[in-house]
Amino acid sequence: AQSVAQPEDQVNVAEGNPLTVKCTYSVSGNPYLFWYVQYPNRGLQFLLKYITGDNLVKGSYGFEAEFNKSQTSFHLKKPSALVSDSALYFCAVRGVRRALTFGSGTRLQVQP
Amino acid sequence: DGGITQSPKYLFRKEGQNVTLSCEQNLNHDAMYWYRQDPGQGLRLIYYSQIVNDFQKGDIAEGYSVSREKKESFPLTVTSAQKNPTAFYLCASSGPDRTNSNQPQHFGDGTRLSIL
């Protein structure tokens, strides 16, 4: 069975600084990985996905993620954080049922 | 605009009562999913449906039931057998995969269910 781990419950960064939200995964076969963002009392919004190809994936709102097969990681990054990036971020891996297995989420807090 | 509509936004259940959460999509997606979100636990899969008139149990299906009579609709019933139903419920859908591209799931804005 596949699994996803997000080791940090919360990440704090200052506005303008780079941010990283960590994700590691466990899956048999090729991983199909996703990042989603959730704002309070809302559904999840798709940010980016890794299927195959380049290890650096670019997504919405200036976010990107780096796939590392040897470390089984898929960390979310952004070069310069905005206060409006403050939200809950989920990493997910797709299974054979096409349903997603999610990590527990990381709350990103960007201070002005 | 195409999207997923969940209703109601807030729902209260009395003891011993069944309640039904609505999920409608106009994205023409074949696959639909129900997830439950609890604080600090991420999202867990309740039921999913890959096609009309077919659905499968997810990881935490006990105490829940679904139907898929129409492509655009996938209602979830929380039965009285579900002893801890207080949670945020999210519905999602996804389209067919294309060559070298798995389609992401699109989510509704959720229904928050509480016990009276």
Side-chain angles (χ1 to χ4, degrees):
Chain A
Q2 65 265 15
S3 65
V4 175
Q6 293 181 242
E8 302 156 316
D9 290 336
Q10 181 157 326
V11 170
N12 298 307
V13 298
E15 188 174 30
N17 283 1
L19 70 88
T20 298
V21 182
K22 295 179 180 178
C23 171
T24 58
Y25 66 89
S26 173
V27 63
S28 56
N30 293 324
Y32 300 137
L33 298 160
F34 300 81
W35 274 102
Y36 285 85
V37 60
Q38 184 181 35
Y39 295 97
N41 294 312
R42 300 297 301 276
L44 275 63
Q45 296 178 30
F46 169 72
L47 281 179
L48 51 80
K49 65 181 178 182
Y50 172 82
I51 304 301
T52 186
D54 290 340
N55 290 340
L56 186 63
V57 179
K58 293 191 182 297
S60 306
Y61 313 118
F63 284 94
E64 56 191 26
E66 186 172 11
F67 172 72
N68 188 315
K69 188 173 183 177
S70 63
Q71 297 185 5
T72 62
S73 66
F74 189 54
H75 300 331
L76 182 69
K77 299 174 185 285
K78 188 173 183 182
S80 179
L82 300 173
V83 172
S84 57
D85 291 332
S86 299
L88 188 56
Y89 290 81
F90 288 100
C91 182
V93 63
R94 203 179 91 159
V96 294
R97 303 172 296 186
R98 296 178 63 200
L100 295 173
T101 297
F102 288 87
S104 56
T106 298
R107 187 165 301 281
L108 174 65
Q109 194 69 40
V110 181
Q111 284 102 23
Chain B
D1 284 353
I4 300 177
T5 301
Q6 290 188 241
S7 61
K9 193 169 181 65
Y10 299 95
L11 186 59
F12 298 91
R13 194 191 89 169
K14 296 179 181 178
E15 293 290 338
Q17 185 182 41
N18 293 353
V19 292
T20 297
L21 285 60
S22 171
C23 178
E24 303 278 333
Q25 55 100 357
N26 60 3
L27 298 166
N28 199 33
H29 287 167
D30 286 312
M32 297 187 74
Y33 312 83
W34 274 106
Y35 294 92
R36 170 180 169 140
Q37 184 177 14
D38 294 281
Q41 293 192 43
L43 282 70
R44 292 179 290 168
L45 181 67
I46 305 173
Y47 267 98
Y48 65 104
S49 169
Q50 303 286 12
I51 197 169
V52 175
N53 292 323
D54 185 54
F55 49 84
Q56 305 294 330
K57 292 182 178 180
D59 300 319
I60 55 165
E62 186 175 351
Y64 300 98
S65 66
V66 293
S67 63
R68 186 84 187 279
E69 298 176 1
K70 299 186 295 183
K71 187 176 184 178
E72 58 270 22
S73 179
F74 191 41
L76 173 74
T77 296
V78 183
T79 74
S80 57
Q82 173 49 245
K83 298 306 179 187
N84 184 23
T86 298
F88 192 49
Y89 291 87
L90 288 161
C91 179
S93 70
S94 63
D97 290 340
R98 299 184 177 87
T99 302
N100 294 327
S101 177
N102 289 286
Q103 296 305 305
Q105 291 183 10
H106 298 257
F107 285 80
D109 277 341
T111 292
R112 189 166 297 280
L113 176 61
S114 302
I115 300 301
L116 283 178

